[in-house]
Amino acid sequence: MDFGFNSSIFILCSLLLFQRLQITEGHLKIHTTNMKNDDHMENHLRFRINQEGNSIQIPDKVSSLSQMDPALNLFFYYNDLKLGNKMLIYFPEKDPLTSPHLLTKQESDSIPFTSSQLPYILQLFSFPHGSKQALAMETTLNHCEFPPIKGESKFCATSLEFMLDSISNIFGLNSRFKVLTTNYVTESISPLQNYTIYEPPIEISAKKIVACHTLPYPYAVFYCHGQVSDNMLYKVMLDGDDGGRVEATAMCHMDTSQWDPDHVAFRVLKTTPGASPVCHFFPADNLVWIPVS
Ligand SMILES: *[C@@H]1O[C@H](CO)[C@@H](O)[C@H](O)[C@H]1NC(C)=O
């Protein structure tokens, strides 16, 4: 299969992906009872953070946002992106035992991934209809089937091959591209802590950007999307007060005028559509694809 770029990059990306998937982490753990037999299944399903706010449960009171969901501490102000600045950020601890596996294309092709087949899929994974897991899976499928908004390219990937093919279609056949992630420089990270930006943030210029976020499912599902709008990418070196350094990938959406006023980012940053840029860090299990020029 031709992915539009050479095989060594492919292998590098694969390695990177598999490594990255070993350290995925969510913020809400659901215990499952009936998943015993399948090697590719894990004992936990996790709710994933979607920076665009879609899979974050929105609390009632703005004042209790950070207590309710520490993951909301991924949003920040554009003006905070400065050397020496300190901010409260949530980067979960690594937990390789509970990360969903990425399937091979062959495996992925053998399991239906559509809400119309949900009863069959639930049976396959032994999740009772109406269980928390079943609801999470249904939400993920619906999220993947929701049509893209104007100017947006989106897809859900259940295998690396599909992801790369789709990225290649968006960037143009024969285009070369690379992946950016948030990396933990040190082994242990205190999940919610104050970080200081200890090197000047580096702007990464990219004509197009496709960001892939993980969604809750018994195996790895990436929701990938790219929008035609004014977005900036940054590499930000962070030094934690309680120890731990992170090389973070961040994005700033400079024009939010077309966003839903109920977007969770506006509540967190106490702003309104179009009033100011919205920035966020990517969790370590997210993948940000950009073309190599
Ligand atoms: C982060 O810093 C602020 C301001 O210095 C402080 O009030 C807060 O308690 C700190 N939070 C944590 C989790 O360390």
Side-chain angles (χ1 to χ4, degrees), residues 3-292:
F3 294 108
F5 62 112
N6 75 45
S7 60
S8 62
I9 295 178
F10 174 76
I11 291 161
L12 198 74
C13 288
S14 315
L15 284 173
L16 192 66
L17 254 178
F18 285 110
Q19 259 174 17
R20 199 104 331 273
L21 287 164
Q22 291 307 304
I23 58 161
T24 54
E25 175 81 27
H27 69 289
L28 203 151
K29 196 182 274 187
I30 305 170
H31 289 274
T32 61
T33 46
N34 288 325
M35 293 199 322
K36 296 194 189 85
N37 310 327
D38 194 322
D39 280 341
H40 299 292
M41 292 301 109
E42 299 290 346
N43 294 327
H44 301 92
L45 256 186
R46 290 181 162 226
F47 273 107
R48 297 288 157 176
I49 316 308
N50 176 340
Q51 285 73 24
E52 310 312 322
N54 295 316
S55 56
I56 292 174
Q57 296 194 332
I58 300 172
D60 297 336
K61 287 200 211 89
V62 171
S63 59
S64 60
L65 271 177
S66 45
Q67 287 96 319
M68 294 284 302
D69 188 344
L72 293 175
N73 287 290
L74 288 172
F75 291 107
F76 64 94
Y77 298 99
Y78 182 63
N79 290 340
D80 282 344
L81 198 59
K82 283 184 207 136
L83 176 66
N85 198 56
K86 190 175 270 206
M87 53 182 126
L88 187 67
I89 314 171
Y90 176 76
F91 287 116
E93 287 171 274
K94 300 178 185 182
D95 187 357
L97 294 177
T98 54
S99 310
H101 287 212
L102 188 69
L103 301 188
T104 64
K105 179 154 185 346
Q106 202 182 10
E107 288 166 331
S108 150
D109 287 348
S110 70
I111 306 170
F113 189 75
T114 161
S115 55
S116 63
Q117 298 235 42
L118 187 63
Y120 169 76
I121 302 169
L122 292 178
Q123 204 178 15
L124 199 66
F125 293 112
S126 308
F127 288 127
H129 185 80
S131 62
K132 277 184 190 169
Q133 294 85 352
L135 289 174
M137 289 164 73
E138 188 176 7
T139 305
T140 290
L141 290 169
N142 289 338
H143 196 85
C144 288
E145 287 162 9
F146 201 76
I149 57 170
K150 198 165 165 275
E152 186 193 44
S153 321
K154 67 161 273 198
F155 62 91
C156 283
T158 56
S159 71
L160 179 64
E161 288 90 336
F162 186 84
M163 188 187 303
L164 295 174
D165 270 351
S166 307
I167 301 280
S168 176
N169 283 334
I170 292 172
F171 290 159
L173 295 174
N174 301 321
S175 57
R176 293 167 64 238
F177 42 89
K178 65 175 183 177
V179 68
L180 305 173
T181 54
T182 287
N183 306 305
Y184 296 171
V185 178
T186 46
E187 266 306 303
S188 76
I189 296 285
S190 173
L192 182 65
Q193 62 168 322
N194 285 310
Y195 287 88
T196 305
I197 300 177
Y198 71 91
E199 279 179 18
I202 297 168
E203 191 185 318
I204 300 159
S205 73
K207 285 192 289 284
K208 286 182 180 173
I209 304 166
V210 175
C212 296
H213 315 282
T214 48
L215 292 178
Y217 215 68
Y219 52 87
V221 173
F222 284 91
Y223 164 69
C224 304
H225 65 146
Q227 266 151 295
V228 186
S229 64
D230 207 1
N231 296 324
M232 315 275 274
L233 271 180
Y234 297 92
K235 181 90 358 204
V236 190
M237 302 304 290
L238 300 165
D239 186 25
D241 272 9
D242 304 335
R245 284 188 165 192
V246 177
E247 180 193 35
T249 297
M251 184 185 254
C252 291
H253 302 270
M254 305 309 285
D255 178 9
T256 59
S257 57
Q258 300 307 308
W259 287 24
D260 182 346
D262 289 332
H263 196 296
V264 67
F266 297 132
R267 302 189 194 201
V268 176
L269 300 179
K270 300 183 181 67
T271 180
T272 52
S276 53
V278 165
C279 302
H280 61 82
F281 291 107
F282 287 96
D285 63 354
N286 283 204
L287 302 167
V288 183
W289 298 93
I290 58 171
V292 180

